């Protein structure tokens, strides 16, 4: 039992950081009521954590080489615990957003060191068992997030979705400090601070632009300035990375059609499959009137099918060229999104069931292969970087997907409320409805018109979700076709140009975050 203590320390931290990606979604209506948060603040509560995690993942992987994976992991655990406490005690949305950002730093430090710790603490057959258990914990965290969030929110309150991290982190810190082996440190690596700052600026300004587009319109001066700033930051990032000896991301990788297509597929994978689930949970509570637990339960068919399909894919698709499970998985996510378009103002949650099952199968098939396919598409000396990039782009897809979905949804709801004729200031009301404040909007409507107004809101939210599912389905299908067409030729060329190499598990966060 003692020899598995390092695995337990790593798995506890991994479970926490992955749970905190999804656990917040079920609690959003309660967070809004408690802190009087705006719709844009609500999106940032979800988004800032994933954005920071994505932006720092590769950089902190390099930092772990300098400081040692054990030291960085334990520091990340401490930061994660303290920021979770700050989240639980937050008195307004600004403090909550700031604490969530710090929480993302701790999560990135933990996740960037997971595989290095497992590889350093286990050898031979034990290493395979350790990585298998770690992968199972990843999948379990994705499935458990909405349920655990619902239970804590309904039976305690939303603050406990963060406070529950404290005892878990304390146990993980104690076990890790006692049982994790000291990690090898490398002095020949340097932290790419300019690249990290540049990458973070690109993503942050792009997300701000998407949020402003939803609030002020795509042609607004502020929106255009933010998009322009993101484009300028991207140019500066490219110029900076080209001249560095130890870049965060070697841009030569992006010149390989196979690798570039896989990174685009990773972004679309997370955006199309997971971003809409946040607003489905809000719809279930604020429009259908479900409790937080029931709202979490309706996402279980998606998570359960993903978990089942991942296990079957690992057994039966191990020797299949990666473009088929990735491309096929994206196509299934797209088809599932199209099936979810059957929701109407009078629908129950079962209208989403068929789409959830199909999309969940797509996630389970594609998810385990994305990181390993990125490794195969990269030169042997860049395999660690390639694996980290795959995980980073997946998280970036979710971070970008949240404001994109929110913008589409809010825009459609505003149009439908205006057409209904019972509301004024529909842009403001649309933000309230999208963020889960339908009851507050209805409370301001005269009693004799409330039933009709409620039907308008139900129809408007359903129409917004319909548009979201359409957009997600289209981008997923396009990405799936591109993966099937492009990755095949590039992979074949790579196979003939160089011999296969064994990935360096001490640097590659292989497998990544399976679901958000």
């Amino acid at each position: 039992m003692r020899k598995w203590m390092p695995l337990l320390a790593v798995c506890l931290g991994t479970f926490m950081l992955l749970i905190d990606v999804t656990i917040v979604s079920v609690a959003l209506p309660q967070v809004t009521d408690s802190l009087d948060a705006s719709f844009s603040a609500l999106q940032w509560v979800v988004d800032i954590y994933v954005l920071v995690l994505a932006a720092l993942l590769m950089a902190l992987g390099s930092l772990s080489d300098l400081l040692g994976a054990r030291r960085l992991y334990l520091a990340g655990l401490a930061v994660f615990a303290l920021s979770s406490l700050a989240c639980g005690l937050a008195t307004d949305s600004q403090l909550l957003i700031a604490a969530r950002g710090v929480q993302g730093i701790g999560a990135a430090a933990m996740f960037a060191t997971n595989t290095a710790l497992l590889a350093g603490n286990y050898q031979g057959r034990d290493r395979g068992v350790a990585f298998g258990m770690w992968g199972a914990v990843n999948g379990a965290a994705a499935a458990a997030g909405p349920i655990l969030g619902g239970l804590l929110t309904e039976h305690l309150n939303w603050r406990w979705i963060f406070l529950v991290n404290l005892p878990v982190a304390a146990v993980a810190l104690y076990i890790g400090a006692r049982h994790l082996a000291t990690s090898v440190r490398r002095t020949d690596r340097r932290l790419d601070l300019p690249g990290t700052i540049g990458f973070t600026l690109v993503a942050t300004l792009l997300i701000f632009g998407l949020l402003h587009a939803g609030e002020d319109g795509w042609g607004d001066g502020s929106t255009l300035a933010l998009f322009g700033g993101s484009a300028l930051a991207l140019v500066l990032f490219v110029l900076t990375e080209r001249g560095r000896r130890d870049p965060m991301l070697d841009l030569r990788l992006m010149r390989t059609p196979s690798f570039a297509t896989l990174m685009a597929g990773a972004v679309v994978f997370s955006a199309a499959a997971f971003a809409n689930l946040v607003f489905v949970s809000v719809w279930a509570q604020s429009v259908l009137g479900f409790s937080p637990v029931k709202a979490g339960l309706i996402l279980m068919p998606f998570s359960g099918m993903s978990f089942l399909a991942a296990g079957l894919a690992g057994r039966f698709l191990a020797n299949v060229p990666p473009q088929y499970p990735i491309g096929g998985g994206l196509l299934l996510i797209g088809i599932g999104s199209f099936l979810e378009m059957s929701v109407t103002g009078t629908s129950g949650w079962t209208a989403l069931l068929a789409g959830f099952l199909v999309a969940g199968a797509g996630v389970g098939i594609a998810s385990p292969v994305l990181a390993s396919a990125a490794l195969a598409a990269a030169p042997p000396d860049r395999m660690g970087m390639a694996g980290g990039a795959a995980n980073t782009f997946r998280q970036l897809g979710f971070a970008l997907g949240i404001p994109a979905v929110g913008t589409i949804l809010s825009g459609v709801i505003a149009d439908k409320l205006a057409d209904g004729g019972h509301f004024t200031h529909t842009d403001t009301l649309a933000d309230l409805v999208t963020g889960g404040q339908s009851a507050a909007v209805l409370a301001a409507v005269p009693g004799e018109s409330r039933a009709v107004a409620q039907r308008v809101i139900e129809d408007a939210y359903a129409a917004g979700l319909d548009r979201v599912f359409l957009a997600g389905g289209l981008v997923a299908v396009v990405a799936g076709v591109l993966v099937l067409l492009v990755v095949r030729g590039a992979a074949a060329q790579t196979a003939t140009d160089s011999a296969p190499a064994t990935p360096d598990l001490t640097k590659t966060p292989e497998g990544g975050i399976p679901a958000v």
Side-chain angles (χ1 to χ4, degrees):
M1 181 63 185
R2 187 181 182 86
K3 74 173 180 178
W4 298 115
M5 285 298 173
L7 174 63
L8 179 60
V10 171
C11 286
L12 284 174
T14 302
F15 188 81
M16 278 195 307
L17 76 90
L18 295 182
I19 279 281
D20 270 56
V21 177
T22 56
I23 198 171
V24 179
S25 60
V26 179
L28 288 179
Q30 287 72 23
V31 173
T32 306
D33 290 338
S34 176
L35 302 182
D36 193 25
S38 66
F39 176 52
S40 60
L42 205 67
Q43 294 179 87
W44 274 114
V45 168
V46 178
D47 228 19
I48 190 68
Y49 176 79
V50 187
L51 172 62
V52 173
L53 173 59
L56 298 183
L57 188 58
M58 286 190 288
L60 289 178
S62 297
L63 185 61
S64 71
D65 289 337
L66 298 173
L67 301 180
R70 177 183 181 273
R71 180 181 298 180
L72 188 61
Y73 179 76
L74 295 177
L77 266 172
V79 170
F80 190 88
L82 292 174
S83 56
S84 295
L85 176 62
C87 288
L89 299 178
T91 55
D92 57 49
S93 58
Q94 289 77 19
L95 288 174
L96 179 57
I97 292 168
R100 283 280 284 173
V102 178
Q103 199 182 32
I105 297 174
M110 288 191 288
F111 197 71
T113 54
N114 274 189
T115 53
L117 289 172
L118 293 180
N121 281 270
Y122 296 101
Q123 303 295 326
R125 183 181 181 86
D126 287 346
R127 179 181 288 184
V129 173
F131 273 98
M133 289 298 298
W134 178 72
V137 166
N138 287 355
I147 300 299
L148 183 58
L151 288 169
L152 292 172
T153 301
E154 185 171 335
H155 296 293
L156 295 171
N157 63 54
W158 66 267
R159 297 182 184 277
W160 280 95
I161 66 177
F162 302 112
L163 297 177
V164 73
N165 290 332
L166 298 178
V168 180
V171 172
L173 270 169
Y174 176 77
I175 296 174
R178 285 178 59 88
H179 297 284
L180 286 173
T182 301
S183 304
V184 176
R185 297 168 61 182
R186 294 179 53 182
T187 58
D188 60 332
R189 299 290 301 275
R190 293 185 299 178
L191 178 64
D192 182 13
L193 187 59
T196 302
I197 294 173
F199 185 82
T200 304
L201 273 177
V202 173
T204 302
L205 291 173
L206 183 56
I207 289 172
F208 264 117
L210 290 169
L211 291 173
H212 267 272
E215 295 174 354
D216 303 318
W218 292 93
D220 181 75
S222 297
T223 302
L224 295 176
L226 287 166
F227 285 140
S230 180
L232 178 60
L234 178 59
V235 172
L236 295 175
F237 172 73
V238 171
L239 294 176
T240 300
E241 293 299 274
R242 288 178 63 183
R244 292 193 65 83
R245 190 187 75 181
D246 287 323
M248 182 181 76
L249 177 63
D250 188 343
L251 297 177
R252 289 175 295 180
L253 290 173
M254 302 303 290
R255 298 176 190 170
T256 305
S258 176
F259 186 83
T261 303
L262 287 170
M263 294 306 100
V267 171
V268 171
F269 172 83
S270 292
F274 302 113
N276 64 71
L277 299 182
V278 173
F279 297 96
V280 168
S281 179
V282 172
W283 169 73
Q285 293 180 70
S286 66
V287 177
L288 300 185
F290 285 4
S291 68
V293 171
K294 193 171 182 180
L297 283 171
I298 71 171
L299 302 180
M300 280 302 293
F302 176 86
S303 299
M305 179 57 76
S306 173
F307 190 68
L308 177 63
L312 294 175
R315 170 174 290 188
F316 297 109
L317 300 180
N319 297 319
V320 174
Q323 68 267 21
Y324 296 117
I326 296 173
L330 283 166
L331 290 177
L332 286 174
I333 291 170
I335 294 169
S337 296
F338 293 146
L339 291 174
E340 290 165 356
M341 291 173 63
S342 61
V343 65
T344 67
T346 58
S347 296
W349 76 272
T350 52
L352 301 175
L353 181 57
F356 276 168
L357 293 174
V358 174
V363 168
I365 291 171
S367 180
V369 188
L370 266 170
S372 58
L375 298 179
D381 64 336
R382 285 291 183 261
M383 293 176 74
M385 182 181 290
N391 292 319
T392 295
F393 278 93
R394 285 176 67 166
Q395 298 314 302
L396 183 62
F398 184 68
L400 294 173
I402 293 295
V405 168
T407 295
I408 294 170
L409 185 60
S410 181
V412 173
I413 290 175
D415 292 341
K416 295 299 181 181
L417 293 182
D419 293 342
H422 293 274
F423 302 97
T424 58
H425 306 292
T426 53
D427 287 339
T428 301
L429 294 181
D431 286 347
L432 291 173
V433 171
T434 307
Q437 297 301 297
S438 299
V441 172
L442 287 172
V445 176
E448 64 275 10
S449 303
R450 197 164 295 164
V452 177
Q454 182 174 352
R455 177 55 57 84
V456 171
I457 289 176
E458 291 169 351
D459 291 341
Y461 214 113
L465 288 176
D466 183 88
R467 188 73 56 84
V468 165
F469 295 142
L470 174 62
L474 289 174
V475 296
V477 166
V478 170
V481 171
L482 284 175
V483 168
L484 289 172
L485 294 177
V486 176
V487 174
R488 175 184 299 165
Q493 183 179 357
T494 302
T496 60
D497 289 345
S498 61
T502 301
D504 182 355
L505 291 177
T506 65
K507 293 190 291 180
T508 304
E510 199 169 341
I513 297 179
V516 190

